[in-house]
Amino acid sequence: MDVPGDGTAEIVNDVPVGLEKGLPNYWYPVLQAEELKTGKPYSFRVMDQDLVAWRDANDHPRIVVDRCPHRNAKLSLGHVLEGDLQCPLHGIRYNHQGQCVRIPWEPDTSSVLGKIKVTAYPTRELGGYIWAYLGDENRFPVPHLEDELPEELSNGEKFIWYRLPTDYWKTNWLVAIDGGDAYHAVMLHANSQAAPKKGETAGRAGKKNNVPMEDRRMEIVKTDHGARGIGVDALGNPINHGHLTNEKMLGDRFILPCITSNPIRPVPGEAPYTSRLWQYPIDEELTRVERYLCFRANSDEERAESLRLFEDVTLPRLQKIGEEDKMVAELQGDLISARSNETLFSPDADTVQVRRLIRKAFLSSRDGQRVDVESSSLVFPI
């Protein structure tokens, strides 16, 4: 265990003890909305906690810890009755605040009911996701959800987004986030990220570069969105790798608690879009990944064009890119192995900055202060 200059115990560089299991006191997209059916509890795990979600009498999502405080039975095995959640073992019932509202052998006016409660988390539905504020709302007032999410999810008139299926990576969430640097794509995704020119047929595999791998090089350029890699051949000629760089971009590439934003223009002439990626822990060995792609769309024509681009170009290539990122992350080893066996170079400055931002947020929360999400970082970057 490392102890840096500030005296904080760390399991490995820039990882205080406990951070490996998650960063509390932020909103997370814990489910896709269609996963949560009316009238049926849904069990899931986030940040080393077993949770249960259900829809109340008004069809609003609710989330509590998946354990009855009576005898530790799993509430997710129970029933949704009149919008409340009933334990399967003895029929004790809880409302959306986790407060006990019925004990079958007690009168409804019994004072015992007020003494029994299961931990509940603030929950909202927005943009096709179920969001939970996974923190201590007594110490940290719950921030307004719309203030902590990218602007497009609250503005369906100007934007359209396409959600990808939830993925699960067998790696620590911090290792997964490390893989979001802006220059690995030039090599790792050299073929899968290549896109055809507008008007050409993409095909499921996309259009590969014709420059042999042994002749490919990379240039690192500084942009408003951090250091980015540019693919070039042995003579320095640019290679189309389906990710044009724009030096004038808004916002930040990484946003607390775990959002990576990747602004992309695949080839000249195609509409730009942004990939938003959440990577957060189920536990210290498994990461949940939620991603959507977003386009500006002010008209039916622009919406139709975004759907064409999504189906013909972006979805096929992102599926392959996701497989490649997942493969590398899972084979880097556990968090301690991955961080202990690395040698960082100058382009990794952005990665180190992200690590230290997460570390700062974790330690601040532990000390009773919360690092807020920067509203300027939540704007659509291109």
Side-chain angles (χ1 to χ4, degrees), residues 173-331:
W173 71 291
L174 297 171
V175 174
I177 287 176
D178 280 349
D181 69 71
Y183 71 100
H184 76 278
V186 173
M187 292 299 175
L188 181 60
H189 310 312
N191 290 324
S192 56
Q193 190 168 259
K197 296 180 180 179
K198 186 174 182 178
E200 296 180 351
T201 301
R204 300 303 293 179
K207 183 177 181 180
K208 296 184 178 181
N209 293 311
N210 56 10
V211 178
M213 184 61 74
E214 59 268 24
D215 292 334
R216 296 180 190 178
R217 304 290 187 271
M218 185 191 311
E219 291 182 1
I220 303 296
V221 298
K222 296 291 185 178
T223 74
D224 292 342
H225 217 244
R228 303 180 75 86
I230 303 296
V232 297
D233 63 19
L235 299 177
N237 300 308
I239 299 171
N240 169 30
H241 60 282
H243 196 160
L244 299 184
T245 296
N246 184 343
E247 294 186 2
K248 300 298 181 182
M249 295 179 183
L250 301 172
D252 296 320
R253 181 174 178 81
F254 180 81
I255 308 166
L256 288 172
C258 60
I259 312 171
T260 298
S261 296
N262 200 2
I264 297 172
R265 187 187 296 273
V267 291
E270 289 284 18
Y273 62 92
T274 292
S275 167
R276 304 279 200 189
L277 179 70
W278 278 257
Q279 296 166 302
Y280 61 91
I282 293 176
D283 55 35
E284 60 187 291
E285 297 179 350
L286 187 62
T287 297
R288 182 176 179 121
V289 179
E290 297 288 356
R291 185 200 299 263
Y292 68 79
L293 299 185
C294 184
F295 300 79
R296 292 187 183 273
N298 293 296
S299 66
D300 291 341
E301 291 76 13
E302 288 178 341
R303 291 172 183 273
E305 176 63 13
S306 73
L307 179 60
R308 178 201 65 78
L309 183 59
F310 175 72
E311 292 180 340
D312 290 351
V313 178
T314 62
L315 178 60
R317 85 176 192 166
L318 266 183
Q319 289 173 329
K320 183 61 176 175
I321 287 169
E323 292 172 0
E324 293 168 345
D325 285 334
K326 179 178 181 178
M327 172 190 67
V328 171
E330 291 186 342
L331 293 177

Side-chain angles (χ1 to χ4, degrees), residues 59-295:
D59 212 35
H60 295 154
R62 306 298 183 183
I63 293 174
V64 300
V65 171
D66 193 12
R67 291 292 173 181
C68 178
H70 174 218
R71 294 267 293 276
N72 208 42
K74 286 182 70 67
L75 292 170
S76 56
L77 299 176
H79 310 280
V80 177
L81 301 174
E82 300 176 316
D84 298 325
L85 186 60
Q86 181 169 291
C87 177
L89 188 56
H90 297 101
I92 298 177
R93 195 177 300 184
Y94 303 90
N95 66 13
H96 67 279
Q97 295 177 322
Q99 182 62 56
C100 177
V101 294
R102 179 168 299 172
I103 299 175
W105 57 91
E106 293 280 347
D108 290 345
T109 57
S110 173
S111 61
V112 177
L113 275 64
K115 301 176 181 179
I116 306 298
K117 190 173 184 179
V118 61
T119 300
Y121 291 109
T123 309
R124 287 276 307 279
E125 183 171 353
L126 181 68
Y129 295 99
I130 305 297
W131 302 85
Y133 179 75
L134 300 176
D136 184 350
E137 57 182 315
N138 294 321
R139 296 180 66 207
F140 304 96
V142 181
H144 192 51
L145 175 62
E146 284 80 355
D147 292 342
E148 303 241 321
L149 296 186
E151 60 174 337
E152 60 268 14
L153 291 178
S154 300
N155 194 345
E157 294 183 357
K158 293 185 178 180
F159 298 95
I160 187 169
W161 57 94
Y162 302 96
R163 289 177 289 133
L164 274 66
T166 301
D167 200 2
Y168 300 92
W169 295 11
K170 294 179 181 179
T171 188
N172 184 268
W173 71 291
L174 297 171
V175 174
I177 287 176
D178 280 349
D181 69 71
Y183 71 100
H184 76 278
V186 173
M187 292 299 175
L188 181 60
H189 310 312
N191 290 324
S192 56
Q193 190 168 259
K197 296 180 180 179
K198 186 174 182 178
E200 296 180 351
T201 301
R204 300 303 293 179
K207 183 177 181 180
K208 296 184 178 181
N209 293 311
N210 56 10
V211 178
M213 184 61 74
E214 59 268 24
D215 292 334
R216 296 180 190 178
R217 304 290 187 271
M218 185 191 311
E219 291 182 1
I220 303 296
V221 298
K222 296 291 185 178
T223 74
D224 292 342
H225 217 244
R228 303 180 75 86
I230 303 296
V232 297
D233 63 19
L235 299 177
N237 300 308
I239 299 171
N240 169 30
H241 60 282
H243 196 160
L244 299 184
T245 296
N246 184 343
E247 294 186 2
K248 300 298 181 182
M249 295 179 183
L250 301 172
D252 296 320
R253 181 174 178 81
F254 180 81
I255 308 166
L256 288 172
C258 60
I259 312 171
T260 298
S261 296
N262 200 2
I264 297 172
R265 187 187 296 273
V267 291
E270 289 284 18
Y273 62 92
T274 292
S275 167
R276 304 279 200 189
L277 179 70
W278 278 257
Q279 296 166 302
Y280 61 91
I282 293 176
D283 55 35
E284 60 187 291
E285 297 179 350
L286 187 62
T287 297
R288 182 176 179 121
V289 179
E290 297 288 356
R291 185 200 299 263
Y292 68 79
L293 299 185
C294 184
F295 300 79

